[in-house]
Amino acid sequence: MGFVRPAGVTYLDTNLAYDTFIIFTGADSVTRLIDLNGTVIKEWRYPGVPARVLNPAHTGGKKGNVGLQLSASDDPRGGIYGNGTIGQLDWEGNRVWEWGSQAPGGAARQNHDWELLPNGNWLVLVTVPRVVDDLGPEVIGDQGLVEVSPDGAVVWKWSSGEHLSELGLSEHGWELLRGTVARVPGDPWGCLEMNSASTLGPNKWYEEDPEKRSIFHPDNVIISFRKANVVAIIEKPSGSIVWRLGPYFEEKPGAQHQRILQHNVPRPLDQISGQHNPHMISKGLPGAGNILLFDCQGGAGYPPASLGIYAGSRILEIDPITKQIVWQYTGEDSGLPPWTFFSSFVSNAQRLPNGNTLITEGMQGRIFQITLEGKAAWEYYSSYTGYGVAGEPEVSKARVLGVDRLSVTPLVYRAQAVPDEWVPDGVKKSVPLGLL
């Protein structure tokens, strides 16, 4: 008998919540679009890492198109190599575009992130098995980016293994990184685990300050290295890293955000650890131009970051110019102990038009909205359990390095709030129940 856990919508304040559709892939490898009642509006029998509804402005006006993983590869290593093809489906599930068989090695090996760009190309985070000279003679999963045109051609690429010297690791950090590679031969994660990538998009820093244009060009890409505690911006034309957070911080490391005085903002950014989904808040949204990220506070770093006893995750909004925290959310901001909000891996946060933030506490399968003051507005627990987005148990086991027994989980990698105008006309939400 398994543990009894919440399922579905457990809280809804219709006066505070932002009414939106939400898409996510459950641990059963099915992608679902729901409303705030938890009603399933649409489902696709494919996983997505992440799953997204596409902006009609980038699909020729077509509404309800989604980006998902469409097939697995037959690579026996599984894991991060297991993605065969990704692509675009329409609302009815028909394949509009698919890519992967044309990729080097015959598989996309997409993982963690992708983005459909305004020009119709796809920015895809991929893994390439190769030797990275700076890390030793072992073949590892070197994570990087490719931009793919609609006809499947790679028109731009970037490799993390060619830019390790730009990440700011200390000499001791380099020793630990190389030692990890040597101890875990063939590590598919490449020991850095690049876990997100997105273009900055139009932003005030580029538009208002000519001196900052090379850093904040809308086409530049913000990335995250989970295991190195690094967030960085890639200058698209040169491939150089032109802006960075981490891996080390002048502020004392550890869980100092759990101390009462450290809830004051703005304040200098302190130690992030195992972060996910840093991205620039889009124009027109509250906080536009700032960086929003889910700071997991999970074990990470070279050397490992010092973490507090009372483990808790954070949502941080960071001014990219001053590199100060200008807004944050922890469990304590809802009047609860810090450990009541915690996901040491996966997860994300998204700013909503009314100022709320949609949060995916992925390890728990929990998706919720909070106000700027930290008050809960909506809460939902995924009831779709399984062995993770890999799907079948025998496949999943091969995909989780270091896991020696199968465990059923409600894990949700990321969720996305979807504007009403992105789904087909006539698709309606159910009447809000107002659960309190």
Side-chain angles (χ1 to χ4, degrees), residues 224-419:
S224 168
F225 289 109
R226 184 216 181 277
K227 291 183 180 175
N229 299 335
V230 169
V231 176
I233 293 176
I234 301 168
E235 183 183 52
K236 190 81 177 291
S238 68
S240 298
I241 289 176
V242 292
W243 180 95
R244 194 183 76 230
L245 297 177
Y248 315 118
F249 296 83
E250 292 181 5
E251 295 297 304
K252 292 180 180 179
Q256 65 181 83
H257 62 278
Q258 295 167 1
R259 301 173 189 167
I260 248 180
L261 293 178
Q262 294 303 327
H263 286 280
N264 295 332
V265 293
R267 70 174 194 275
L269 178 63
D270 56 3
Q271 184 70 58
I272 56 175
S273 187
Q275 74 289 331
H276 278 72
N277 193 36
H279 62 280
M280 183 167 280
I281 299 174
S282 299
K283 286 187 70 174
L285 295 175
N290 290 334
I291 305 299
L292 190 68
L293 63 83
F294 191 112
D295 179 18
C296 293
Q297 287 288 302
Y302 299 100
S306 174
L307 302 177
I309 296 173
Y310 306 109
S313 297
R314 308 186 287 178
I315 307 302
L316 300 179
E317 182 180 334
I318 301 162
D319 183 316
I321 306 303
T322 65
K323 297 186 178 179
Q324 288 191 320
I325 300 170
V326 296
W327 178 85
Q328 70 171 17
Y329 173 77
T330 73
E332 292 167 293
D333 293 306
S334 291
L336 300 169
W339 58 82
T340 58
F341 170 53
F342 181 55
S343 184
S344 64
F345 64 103
V346 299
S347 310
N348 73 304
Q350 179 184 353
R351 182 59 45 80
L352 302 176
N354 72 339
N356 285 1
T357 301
L358 180 73
I359 300 172
T360 308
E361 189 180 357
M363 192 167 70
Q364 317 296 345
R366 179 186 180 218
I367 307 169
F368 64 108
Q369 279 189 39
I370 52 101
T371 66
L372 283 171
E373 295 74 33
K375 184 174 176 57
W378 176 77
E379 181 182 62
Y380 171 89
Y381 283 86
S382 172
S383 61
Y384 306 107
T385 58
Y387 297 96
V389 296
E392 297 300 319
E394 61 270 21
V395 176
S396 297
K397 187 171 182 180
R399 293 185 176 206
V400 184
L401 187 69
V403 173
D404 62 356
R405 64 181 66 183
L406 293 173
S407 302
V408 174
T409 174
L411 183 146
V412 172
Y413 174 57
R414 282 192 206 171
Q416 176 204 21
V418 180

Side-chain angles (χ1 to χ4, degrees), residues 104-300:
R109 300 194 182 101
Q110 180 271 331
N111 60 91
H112 286 99
D113 220 344
W114 58 266
E115 179 185 354
L116 177 58
L117 303 174
N119 64 2
N121 292 351
W122 288 63
L123 180 71
V124 186
L125 197 164
V126 299
T127 298
V128 179
R130 74 181 188 96
V131 173
V132 175
D133 292 337
D134 286 341
L135 296 180
E138 302 287 348
V139 173
I140 64 168
D142 183 26
Q143 291 184 276
L145 302 168
V146 293
E147 183 177 336
V148 182
S149 66
D151 63 5
V154 174
V155 297
W156 179 83
K157 61 182 179 179
W158 186 89
S159 167
S160 61
E162 296 174 359
H163 295 272
L164 298 179
S165 63
E166 301 170 39
L167 300 185
L169 290 173
S170 66
E171 185 175 340
H172 181 47
W174 271 101
E175 291 173 357
L176 292 172
L177 177 59
R178 292 184 179 116
T180 301
V181 172
R183 286 194 307 276
V184 191
D187 180 5
W189 304 98
C191 302
L192 294 173
E193 194 172 338
M194 186 174 171
N195 64 8
S196 70
S198 61
T199 54
L200 297 180
N203 63 87
K204 62 182 180 181
W205 314 115
Y206 176 79
E207 295 168 358
E208 298 174 4
D209 191 340
E211 294 183 358
K212 296 182 174 64
R213 287 190 170 181
S214 62
I215 297 175
F216 298 109
H217 191 286
D219 293 340
N220 287 357
V221 183
I222 184 168
I223 59 173
S224 168
F225 289 109
R226 184 216 181 277
K227 291 183 180 175
N229 299 335
V230 169
V231 176
I233 293 176
I234 301 168
E235 183 183 52
K236 190 81 177 291
S238 68
S240 298
I241 289 176
V242 292
W243 180 95
R244 194 183 76 230
L245 297 177
Y248 315 118
F249 296 83
E250 292 181 5
E251 295 297 304
K252 292 180 180 179
Q256 65 181 83
H257 62 278
Q258 295 167 1
R259 301 173 189 167
I260 248 180
L261 293 178
Q262 294 303 327
H263 286 280
N264 295 332
V265 293
R267 70 174 194 275
L269 178 63
D270 56 3
Q271 184 70 58
I272 56 175
S273 187
Q275 74 289 331
H276 278 72
N277 193 36
H279 62 280
M280 183 167 280
I281 299 174
S282 299
K283 286 187 70 174
L285 295 175
N290 290 334
I291 305 299
L292 190 68
L293 63 83
F294 191 112
D295 179 18
C296 293
Q297 287 288 302

Side-chain angles (χ1 to χ4, degrees), residues 47-64:
V49 188
R52 285 197 183 103
V53 175
L54 303 177
N55 185 344
H58 302 163
T59 63
K62 298 174 183 176
K63 297 183 177 183

